[in-house]
Amino acid sequence: MKLKNTLLVAVALLVILSLSACSSSKSTNQTPLEKIKEKGTLVVATSPDYAPFEFQTLVDGKNKVVGSDILLAQQIADELGVTLEVSSMNFDNVLNSVQNGKADLAIAGLSVSPERLKVFDFSKPYYQVGNVLLVQKSDVEKYATVADLDKADLAVQKGTTQETYAKESLSNANIVSLVQMGEAVNELKNGQVKAILLDSAVAEGYISQNPDLAIAKLSFEAEEENAKAIAMTKDSGDLKKEIDKIIDEVVKNGTYNQYLEEAAKYTVVE
Ligand code: ARG
């Protein structure tokens, strides 16, 4: 009788142990895509200071994050059948938040770079831009070669590929890393910095709002053309596959260009 009881307890314990092992292995074996579908939300990290990709505007008196990247994020959430949650932060935190699991994706006008590819998976590119130098209109002729930047205060956004590039290839300038793009533009307008290195599409947006600004003569080689893509954790497997499929559609049928047109209708608030 006693032996039978002990056996029963042992069997019961085994059942419990194997059941719990099963359920815990289920959650750890979940793919990134399964995890997102199970929680029902897609958390997207972004830095809304980069019109037309992502920026703040006023909708019914309230600040709202809009832009072509946000429309892309919404399309992805819709196709995955989950709710979009946009998580705004400074650009230099965007990739960290994917790395530490706080966000599922980073969509922030992100350029693919060899350094970033070591740490993250990137989707297929969805847009191409080039680096340009934004200056005061009166300085348009002044900056035509890299040598013209000697000792000039050159602003870049902290944590960007432009910061890396400037430190490597424009180190004759005095590089000023600023957290917010709006801050850099204010410093340019009031003469605290002489130029900003940034993406062409973003520079054009600033010029349309600020007739006192222009793109300098100095141009950057084609290899500095950068492809915008979505970042996710390494080995994202099925998630990357799904996102690449959506990007294929959105790029091929011109939807991303429509997103850009849509974004241009909003006024940027800083
Ligand atoms: N091309 C740059 C990068 O990937 C700039 C992106 C800045 N994005 C932003 N939302 N402020 O590093």
Side-chain angles (χ1 to χ4, degrees), residues 31-82:
T31 67
L33 183 60
E34 284 165 356
K35 268 187 218 152
I36 292 166
K37 287 194 170 166
E38 191 181 281
K39 66 184 163 99
T41 48
L42 176 72
V43 182
V44 172
T46 198
S47 166
D49 60 351
Y50 221 55
F53 298 109
E54 47 270 326
F55 55 101
Q56 305 214 46
T57 195
L58 282 179
V59 175
D60 299 330
K62 280 196 201 119
N63 267 12
K64 195 176 173 224
V65 178
V66 294
S68 53
D69 280 353
I70 309 304
L71 291 167
L72 175 62
Q74 187 63 60
Q75 178 67 20
I76 293 171
D78 290 350
E79 290 204 30
L80 300 183
V82 296

Side-chain angles (χ1 to χ4, degrees), residues 28-224:
T28 50
N29 281 344
Q30 259 185 336
T31 67
L33 183 60
E34 284 165 356
K35 268 187 218 152
I36 292 166
K37 287 194 170 166
E38 191 181 281
K39 66 184 163 99
T41 48
L42 176 72
V43 182
V44 172
T46 198
S47 166
D49 60 351
Y50 221 55
F53 298 109
E54 47 270 326
F55 55 101
Q56 305 214 46
T57 195
L58 282 179
V59 175
D60 299 330
K62 280 196 201 119
N63 267 12
K64 195 176 173 224
V65 178
V66 294
S68 53
D69 280 353
I70 309 304
L71 291 167
L72 175 62
Q74 187 63 60
Q75 178 67 20
I76 293 171
D78 290 350
E79 290 204 30
L80 300 183
V82 296
T83 310
L84 173 65
E85 190 185 312
V86 175
S87 174
S88 296
M89 61 199 75
N90 288 334
F91 183 77
D92 59 340
N93 280 323
V94 164
L95 284 168
N96 288 343
S97 97
V98 170
Q99 201 173 7
N100 64 30
K102 289 203 181 113
D104 301 305
L105 303 175
I107 313 186
L110 276 172
S111 313
V112 187
S113 74
E115 295 82 19
R116 288 177 181 169
L117 279 170
K118 282 184 201 147
V119 190
F120 300 96
D121 272 0
F122 274 87
S123 70
K124 288 187 175 175
Y126 58 85
Y127 198 67
Q128 301 281 342
V129 284
N131 281 340
V132 295
L133 207 59
L134 186 64
V135 294
Q136 288 196 3
K137 205 169 206 166
S138 51
D139 279 348
V140 129
E141 305 286 326
K142 196 167 164 188
Y143 300 102
T145 67
V146 172
D148 296 335
L149 282 170
D150 263 344
K151 312 222 162 43
D153 290 322
L154 168 65
V156 287
Q157 188 171 22
K158 203 165 172 233
T160 60
T161 48
Q162 283 83 6
E163 183 186 43
T164 312
Y165 178 80
K167 285 184 175 164
E168 279 168 5
S169 306
L170 306 172
S171 56
N172 57 323
N174 174 33
I175 293 152
V176 184
S177 298
L178 297 170
V179 171
Q180 297 266 338
M181 192 42 86
E183 211 181 327
V185 173
N186 286 338
E187 294 210 358
L188 176 64
K189 283 171 74 82
N190 65 33
Q192 279 167 278
V193 299
K194 287 290 173 200
I196 308 174
L197 183 70
L198 78 173
D199 287 308
S200 50
V202 179
E204 278 151 23
Y206 278 116
I207 291 168
S208 69
Q209 305 291 313
N210 301 276
D212 54 330
L213 302 181
I215 290 172
K217 275 208 165 148
L218 176 58
S219 65
F220 301 90
E221 312 103 73
E223 60 204 279
E224 293 314 321

